[in-house]
Amino acid sequence: MALSQVHYLSEALARIVTFHIYLPNDTSKEFTENNPHYERPIKTLYLLHGFSGNTTDWIMGSSAMEISRKYNLAIVMPSGENSFYLDRKGTGNAYETYIAKELPAYIKKTYHLSDEREDVLIGGLSMGGFGAIRLGLKYDERYGAAFGLSSALIIEDIGKLSPGDMTACVKMIADYDYYVTVFGDLAGLEHSDVNPKFLVKQKLEKRGRITPIFMACGTEDFLLENNRDFRDFLVEHQVDVTYYESPGTHEWKFWNEYLETAVLWALAGKEGMKEV
């Protein structure tokens, strides 16, 4: 199992950036023999961290290395700062462009990995869950599947904010000025492509492909109602969604319970679907 730390010049972010990648290109026969995942080329999973995290989160907190080796999966772990993986105004703030376009092009050029939709997956937790679901929907031609764990699907909450007025859902994350800096005009978010629901409606109107989505959230998580609401929206609009819910808070213990489940779902489709 190879683990690389890479520094390169990002045009989207106008600076040297760092990402980590697990690459199971030296896996021993002990793990490859009789393993059907090694009868195909390596697939790639982009894993997005949460608010206040960075490129090392998945390395330190999760079983990503074992999953990479077990399922013949290159796992790319970039840093998205606290950007919600959005393009913001000003030079060096194009995080969406970095994650969805520039970094995949660099990965293909450097590691010669496939960028065909069926070979590329995206997932994340909390802020990264929002990012993975939104980018998976917006760039449906790039991703075979998208998953979010305890996803920060808070667009409708922050759209109601005014200076000094924080809802119970978002006050645990950041202040009003942060949301304005990251999202722009909060009053217009509901009808913009920042909103995953808006993206779904756009796809339905155009009869376009909607990327299959996997979601999981703990029953004690402060984002539970946001995740249930988005699940219900997807079900109502007949979008392919797999949803899990079980005891847990906003922590690695819960995320590790579902990371492998989400990866298996993404690799195999709807197998193991559970309605809650």
Side-chain angles (χ1 to χ4, degrees):
M1 169 60 61
L3 170 61
S4 296
Q5 176 175 288
V6 182
H7 310 276
Y8 85 98
L9 177 60
S10 165
E11 292 186 9
L13 300 182
R15 61 182 180 274
I16 300 294
V17 297
T18 302
F19 71 87
H20 288 82
I21 179 172
Y22 283 125
L23 197 63
N25 61 350
D26 60 348
T27 309
S28 66
K29 290 184 179 180
E30 174 187 357
F31 296 98
T32 62
E33 285 185 343
N34 300 315
N35 184 336
H37 298 286
Y38 282 88
E39 296 173 2
R40 56 160 172 80
I42 294 177
K43 293 181 182 288
T44 303
L45 167 63
Y46 291 85
L47 274 183
L48 309 184
H49 64 75
F51 184 86
S52 78
N54 62 31
T55 179
T56 65
D57 278 22
W58 292 100
I59 296 172
M60 295 189 297
S62 79
S63 55
M65 182 179 73
E66 179 60 26
I67 287 172
S68 173
R69 179 172 60 186
K70 189 174 180 180
Y71 298 109
N72 191 25
L73 197 60
I75 299 183
V76 182
M77 297 160 284
S79 278
E81 312 299 336
N82 290 334
S83 67
F84 269 77
Y85 304 95
L86 300 170
D87 282 351
R88 303 192 313 227
K89 292 182 178 180
T91 301
N93 287 308
Y95 289 92
E96 175 181 326
T97 299
Y98 167 58
I99 297 295
K101 298 179 181 179
E102 183 186 89
L103 183 57
Y106 183 87
I107 293 295
K108 181 181 181 181
K109 178 180 70 173
T110 306
Y111 297 97
H112 308 292
L113 297 173
S114 170
D115 62 354
E116 295 297 318
R117 183 175 67 195
E118 62 270 19
D119 295 325
V120 183
L121 316 168
I122 188 168
L125 63 84
S126 194
M127 179 187 79
F130 168 88
I133 289 173
R134 178 181 170 271
L135 294 177
L137 289 169
K138 184 171 180 178
Y139 298 94
D140 56 90
E141 76 283 1
R142 295 178 180 269
Y143 304 106
F147 66 82
L149 310 178
S150 305
S151 301
L153 298 160
I154 58 175
I155 293 299
E156 292 172 11
D157 290 320
I158 64 178
K160 301 172 184 176
L161 293 178
S162 57
D165 175 27
M166 306 297 284
T167 70
C169 175
V170 299
K171 70 181 181 181
M172 298 177 65
I173 301 175
D175 60 20
Y176 172 84
D177 290 334
Y178 161 80
Y179 289 111
V180 172
T181 300
V182 172
F183 291 93
D185 177 18
L186 302 187
L189 293 184
E190 186 177 350
H191 302 291
S192 75
D193 72 1
V194 171
N195 184 2
K197 289 183 179 179
F198 178 83
L199 290 170
V200 169
K201 291 176 180 177
Q202 270 193 329
K203 299 292 182 182
L204 290 173
E205 289 175 3
K206 298 177 181 178
R207 298 184 182 275
R209 175 186 182 270
I210 300 180
T211 304
I213 293 173
F214 176 103
M215 301 172 63
C217 193
T219 51
E220 288 72 49
D221 196 309
F222 71 101
L223 293 170
L224 177 62
E225 293 307 319
N226 302 77
N227 280 261
R228 286 177 172 174
D229 175 74
F230 190 63
R231 172 205 59 190
D232 293 345
F233 170 84
L234 294 177
V235 170
E236 177 186 349
H237 288 82
Q238 299 182 324
V239 175
D240 184 354
V241 58
T242 296
Y243 181 85
Y244 285 82
E245 198 178 280
S246 65
T249 60
H250 206 72
E251 62 180 357
W252 281 105
K253 182 178 182 295
F254 178 84
W255 301 325
N256 277 319
E257 287 178 10
Y258 284 100
L259 178 58
E260 186 169 9
T261 302
V263 168
L264 276 172
W265 167 87
L267 291 172
K270 302 178 187 178
E271 202 170 297
M273 184 173 181
K274 178 181 178 183
E275 292 288 350
V276 178

